[in-house]
């Protein structure tokens, strides 16, 4: 069969690229095993579409190219499905991901399928024109590049996480100078003081401050922290809700959580490695007005 | 879609009735600080709300 090698190499390159990107997905996803299968299956379909793209053009089957638009439509549909699923699950989540995080996950899911198509097109094209050895090399480069491109910013790059003092001012729970909430029940107050943790997330510059200003970003950090360290929050126990509130003067975030594992280094690590959400990403320092305002 | 009331004072618990007046929420009078705490805990569990302290010894339950 004509272009057999090209199609096979494109397919392999695409699936490999998707598999490697899946490893980065791992932390974002609650690792539903069936979701994993969905990802791989859709990745394989995307890879196949990419792999036949150049052979179809070379065979002058131009109508075949229009199938790409159907594929794009399909992946957009998948993004909607992913969003709906996560939002439904969100209702039963005690510490919610937040709409921003869900949107980010859904968007990433769609984008990674396009990257898979792209990898497959390059690999199949190179196989046709300069041989499979070059295609293999290109695939490896694409995979390495996608690892860098898809990692995105993490909170540790835009802010530093330092320990903070958890205390009560009357009934008000405070993290340093930031009011978190009013806790009226004295035994809850004692438990929070004994077992709670507090950190300050201090933005490194104005860009960081704008990102931490996003409520969705804070919720994503809280969700990650609660998912990894555990939380003592329970139905009908709202006193132990993890919360993140902003110091309105400095833009620093005071974070309170009542974890199952009280370990500051772990909490710092988790927060620093939380992804900066695309929807929260703001760059006032990129504009002239923002730069002038910052000094 | 579940519809729920939130940010509403569901009950007020106090030792001193002088500190509260009128309003839409039922007021429960406690005879001691311990009783007040116990009543607040019971009410918060029953109503699914959170106990807040007004700072002057008045507890109230708010649904968030």
């Amino acid at each position: 069969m004509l272009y057999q090698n090209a199609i096979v190499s494109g397919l392999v390159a695409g699936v490999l690229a998707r598999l490697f990107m899946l490893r980065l997905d791992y932390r974002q996803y609650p690792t539903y095993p069936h979701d994993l299968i969905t990802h791989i299956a859709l990745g394989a379909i995307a890879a196949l579409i990419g792999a036949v793209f150049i052979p179809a053009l070379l065979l002058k089957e131009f109508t075949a190219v229009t199938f790409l638009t159907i594929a794009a439509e399909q992946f957009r549909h998948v993004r909607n499905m992913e969003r709906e699923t996560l939002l439904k699950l969100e209702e039963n989540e005690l510490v919610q991901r937040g709409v921003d995080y869900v949107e980010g996950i859904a968007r990433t899911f769609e984008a990674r399928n396009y990257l898979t198509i792209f990898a497959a097109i390059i690999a199949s094209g190179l196989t046709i024109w300069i041989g499979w050895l070059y295609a293999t090399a290109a695939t490896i480069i694409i995979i390495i590049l996608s690892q860098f491109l898809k990692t995105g910013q993490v909170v540790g790059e835009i802010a530093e996480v330092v320990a903070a003092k958890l205390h009560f001012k009357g009934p008000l729970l405070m993290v340093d100078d930031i009011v978190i909430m009013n806790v009226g029940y004295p035994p809850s107050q004692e438990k929070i003081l004994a077992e709670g943790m507090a950190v300050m997330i201090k933005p490194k510059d104005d860009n960081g401050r704008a990102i931490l200003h996003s409520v969705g970003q804070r919720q994503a950090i809280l969700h990650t922290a609660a998912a990894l360290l555990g939380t003592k929050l329970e139905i009908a126990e709202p006193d132990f809700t993890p919360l993140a509130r902003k110091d309105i003067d400095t833009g620093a975030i005071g974070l309170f959580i009542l974890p199952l594992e009280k370990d500051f280094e772990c909490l710092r690590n988790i927060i620093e490695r939380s992804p900066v959400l695309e929807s929260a990403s703001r760059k006032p320092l990129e504009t002239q007005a923002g730069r002038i305002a910052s000094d | 879609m579940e519809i729920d009331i939130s940010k509403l004072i569901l009950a007020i618990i106090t030792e001193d009735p002088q500190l509260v007046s009128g309003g839409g929420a039922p007021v429960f009078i406690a005879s001691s600080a311990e009783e007040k705490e116990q009543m607040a805990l019971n009410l918060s569990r029953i109503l699914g709300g959170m106990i807040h302290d007004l700072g002057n010894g008045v507890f109230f339950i708010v649904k968030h």
Side-chain angles (χ1 to χ4, degrees), chain A residues 11-29:
Chain A
L11 185 62
V12 170
V15 171
L16 275 180
R18 188 69 191 97
L19 279 176
F20 276 96
M21 284 188 275
L22 210 56
R23 282 182 52 202
L24 295 178
D25 270 349
Y26 188 82
R27 196 160 46 101
Q28 286 202 359
Y29 268 88

Side-chain angles (χ1 to χ4, degrees), chain A residues 26-93:
Chain A
Y26 188 82
R27 196 160 46 101
Q28 286 202 359
Y29 268 88
T31 64
Y32 308 119
H34 287 94
D35 242 12
L36 210 67
I37 295 169
T38 315
H39 279 294
I40 297 169
L42 280 166
I45 294 170
L48 189 61
I49 292 167
V52 298
F53 182 76
I54 289 176
L57 281 182
L58 289 176
L59 291 171
K60 299 202 168 25
E61 294 283 352
F62 298 123
T63 41
V65 179
T66 58
F67 275 84
L68 270 183
T69 55
I70 298 172
E73 189 59 39
Q74 171 69 17
F75 291 130
R76 223 181 58 197
H77 185 64
V78 164
R79 166 179 169 182
N80 288 337
M81 238 169 53
E82 193 68 18
R83 180 197 296 132
E84 272 168 38
T85 313
L86 286 170
L87 283 178
K88 279 211 183 77
L89 292 170
E90 190 89 328
E91 285 171 23
N92 285 332
E93 201 80 60

Side-chain angles (χ1 to χ4, degrees), chain B residues 5-47:
Chain B
I5 294 168
S6 69
K7 305 276 182 204
L8 183 78
I9 299 183
L10 298 174
I12 299 164
I13 310 108
T14 179
E15 284 173 76
D16 182 1
Q18 300 280 321
L19 290 170
V20 286
S21 97
V27 179
F28 296 87
I29 315 291
S31 55
S32 68
E34 291 77 52
E35 196 191 353
K36 186 175 71 180
E37 272 178 29
Q38 194 54 48
M39 284 166 80
L41 180 63
N42 281 332
L43 280 166
S44 82
R45 283 301 155 88
I46 295 160
L47 300 167

